[in-house]
Amino acid sequence: MEKQTYFQTALANFTFDVASGGAIRHLADLDYTAAQIMKRLDFPTPFDRVQQTIWEHFLQTGILRLEEPGIFVQKENYEYVTEYDAYGRKSFRQVAVDSIKEPEIVWNEQIFTVQNRITLATYLTDKCAENGEKTAYISCDFGLKSCREPANYKKMLNLLEESDREYLLGLPWERKLIYHRLNRRMRNIADTLYQKGEYTGTCYFINQKEKLHLYPQST
């Protein structure tokens, strides 16, 4: 019974992947939001399934991290392979495809201050150019805020541009700190919220071993 359930689940996942999964991941890589992706799918797909597919894809590709950068971790990536027995019956087996080890980092920590009219967005863009965007991250507590302070979270979202607000709402944020790659969209979100005194968190520049703390600006 357990093997049958496993097979049915694997088959359902395979069917979904063929119908919608690949398209969702491709469009997410092009920076489409979950709502935008929903409108472009040929196969009817529940919104929460689109959200979860994006989330898992972002974790797989390193756009999102569940662990704070700089803490020693060893991660394994998995994929499903198709196998056939002597009677031609198909089955799926999960196998590890690679292992990633990340050493602990001793950080050079700083606090961001506005100097010479350099905005946070400009500063982060320059830092990402120096460090490399793929290894630059920012801490996100959106899942915690939406749970603990729903009214304030809604108010915070309304400060953002429509596309950025839609992007955050399209991800199923876990109720813990999550670390998002510091790409153009996240730099824009961080800058907007920081200017309004609505962001407190940390940026990580792994290659340069620098950690930048962001606190509300004093009035």
Side-chain angles (χ1 to χ4, degrees):
M1 186 66 180
E2 184 178 345
K3 288 184 178 180
Q4 184 179 3
T5 300
Y6 171 80
F7 173 76
Q8 291 173 341
T9 301
L11 183 59
N13 289 338
F14 176 77
T15 302
F16 166 77
D17 203 59
V18 171
S20 299
I24 292 171
R25 291 189 290 271
H26 173 68
L27 292 171
D29 286 338
L30 296 177
D31 202 27
Y32 282 82
T33 68
Q36 291 171 331
I37 291 173
M38 283 282 293
K39 298 175 183 178
R40 287 163 173 78
L41 294 178
D42 296 326
F43 187 81
T45 307
F47 185 66
D48 61 347
R49 192 69 189 270
V50 174
Q51 288 181 298
Q52 194 60 39
T53 300
I54 296 172
W55 185 265
E56 292 173 359
H57 178 58
F58 282 179
L59 288 174
Q60 186 75 18
T61 56
I63 292 175
L64 292 173
R65 299 171 59 114
L66 300 180
E67 310 89 7
E68 182 182 22
I71 297 176
F72 175 79
V73 294
Q74 181 168 343
K75 300 182 293 184
E76 289 188 333
N77 294 324
Y78 295 92
E79 66 179 18
Y80 286 99
V81 297
T82 305
E83 296 180 337
Y84 296 88
D85 63 15
Y87 299 97
R89 290 176 297 196
K90 182 189 295 186
S91 63
F92 297 91
R93 180 166 59 89
Q94 187 185 58
V95 296
V97 293
D98 58 31
S99 180
I100 302 172
K101 294 182 179 179
E102 296 184 356
E104 187 171 354
I105 295 176
V106 178
W107 297 100
N108 173 22
E109 302 192 36
Q110 303 177 42
I111 297 175
F112 177 76
T113 56
V114 180
Q115 295 180 343
N116 300 323
R117 296 186 179 181
I118 296 178
T119 65
L120 177 62
T122 300
Y123 183 84
L124 293 181
T125 298
D126 291 344
K127 290 299 296 182
C128 286
E130 297 169 7
N131 175 86
E133 187 177 279
K134 287 188 176 182
T135 55
Y137 288 85
I138 186 168
S139 63
C140 302
D141 63 351
F142 303 121
L144 291 170
K145 280 189 174 181
S146 64
C147 176
R148 296 174 179 175
E149 308 170 58
N152 288 335
Y153 179 63
K154 183 177 180 179
K155 179 181 176 182
M156 181 201 77
L157 288 174
N158 288 333
L159 298 173
L160 299 172
E161 297 175 4
E162 181 179 356
S163 178
D164 291 339
R165 178 169 62 251
E166 196 175 85
Y167 178 79
L168 293 187
L169 290 172
L171 291 175
W173 298 96
E174 297 183 17
R175 296 177 184 178
K176 56 180 288 186
L177 273 182
I178 300 295
Y179 304 89
H180 193 294
R181 183 172 292 163
L182 200 51
N183 54 20
R184 180 203 57 79
R185 185 185 290 280
M186 287 308 298
R187 293 196 298 269
N188 189 53
I189 290 173
D191 180 59
T192 300
L193 296 180
Y194 179 79
Q195 288 185 46
K196 302 295 184 178
E198 292 293 336
Y199 179 80
T200 299
T202 305
C203 298
Y204 302 80
F205 304 100
I206 295 175
N207 287 342
Q208 295 182 313
K209 299 181 179 180
E210 293 182 4
K211 183 186 290 189
L212 181 70
H213 298 289
L214 305 176
Y215 300 115
Q217 302 179 67
S218 58
T219 56

